[in-house]
Amino acid sequence: MSGTAPNPVIVLVRPQLGENIGKAARAMLNFGLTEMRLVTPRDGWPNPSAGPAASGADVVLEQARVFGSVADAVADCEHVYATTVRKRGVTKPVVTPVQAAGEIHAAPGRSAILFGPERSGLETEDVALARAILTVPINPEFGSLNLAQAVILVAYEWSKGRELAQPPRVDLDPPAPQAELEGLIGHLETLLEDSGYFYPPDRVPTTKLTLRNLLTKPGWTEQELRTLRGVLSALEGKKRARAGQT
C-alpha cells in the first residue's frame, strides 16, 4: 500500500452522546485521522461532553463539520463504506477493515466511512448511499461494539499502510559476561552452604544444578548482577553481625 491517497473521512451518522463523539475523535487521532463529519447529532454541536472524552484530540473536534444528511456529508467522496452487518435487501460488496484499508490506500479520490447511531446503527437508506459494506469479523454470539471501538478498529487497519511514528525505542543493557554470573552463583552457594541449606548430602548436586538452571535463564545485565550480589552481601553481613553478638 502506497499511503498516497487522501486520508479517509470519518462520518458519524446521527450520533447520540457527546462522550461517544469525543471518544471516536480520540480513536481517530491515535491513528492519524483528523477529519470528522457529523450528520444531525442528536444533542447538537458543539457538545460540551465531547471535549473531556476526547482526551486531547481537540483538533478533531474543532474541525468537525455538521451536515443535514448523509448524502451531503459524503458528496465530495468517491468511495463510501458503510460499517454495518449485511442489510437485507441491499446487494453490495462486503469487505473487512483490512480489505477496506487496502482499497482506500490504492484508489484515487476521497473515501468516507460511515458509522451509525450507537443504539440502532445505520439505516437501510444510509447504507444505500455506500459503495460497499464494511463489516468487522466478530463473535456472532456477542457482536456488541461501541462507537469508539468500531472507529478504532477501522482506523488501525488503515494506519498500517502509513509510516506512523513508533514509540521511542529503549535499548536494553547487554547481558553480563559469564564470569560475573558465575561469581553470583558461587556467592549464593557459599551462603547456602553456611546456612545448612544443602541437605541431605546426596541431593546437593541436583539442588545446585536446579539453582544454576534457575539463575541462568534470565539474561542478567551487569547492573542486575551487581544488585543481586549486593543483596547477598547485605544478608551475609547481617549474619556475621548476629554471630558476633552471640
Side-chain angles (χ1 to χ4, degrees), residues 6-142:
N7 293 359
V9 176
I10 300 299
V11 182
L12 306 186
V13 180
R14 299 180 296 278
Q16 297 171 314
L17 297 175
E19 291 91 337
N20 288 339
I21 297 174
K23 291 176 182 178
R26 179 182 182 181
M28 288 171 58
L29 195 57
N30 274 327
F31 296 102
L33 297 178
T34 57
E35 188 166 355
M36 172 186 283
R37 299 180 183 181
L38 306 173
V39 177
T40 59
R42 186 189 67 181
D43 297 333
W45 190 257
N47 188 311
S49 299
S55 298
D58 299 324
V59 64
V60 178
L61 299 180
E62 291 167 0
Q63 297 177 4
R65 298 166 60 193
V66 179
F67 294 82
S69 69
V70 176
D72 289 341
V74 300
D76 62 338
C77 298
E78 288 82 359
H79 315 285
V80 180
Y81 296 84
T83 59
T84 183
V85 296
R86 186 191 298 271
K87 292 287 184 179
R88 181 171 298 178
V90 177
T91 304
K92 293 182 182 292
V94 178
V95 297
T96 65
V98 175
Q99 293 168 325
E103 294 176 0
I104 292 170
H105 281 288
R110 303 211 71 186
S111 295
I113 306 172
L114 308 179
F115 295 85
E118 293 90 321
R119 288 190 178 182
S120 59
L122 294 171
E123 298 293 338
T124 301
E125 292 74 16
D126 304 321
V127 180
L129 294 170
R131 306 282 181 91
I133 291 174
L134 197 167
T135 296
V136 176
I138 198 168
N139 180 4
E141 297 180 1
F142 189 71

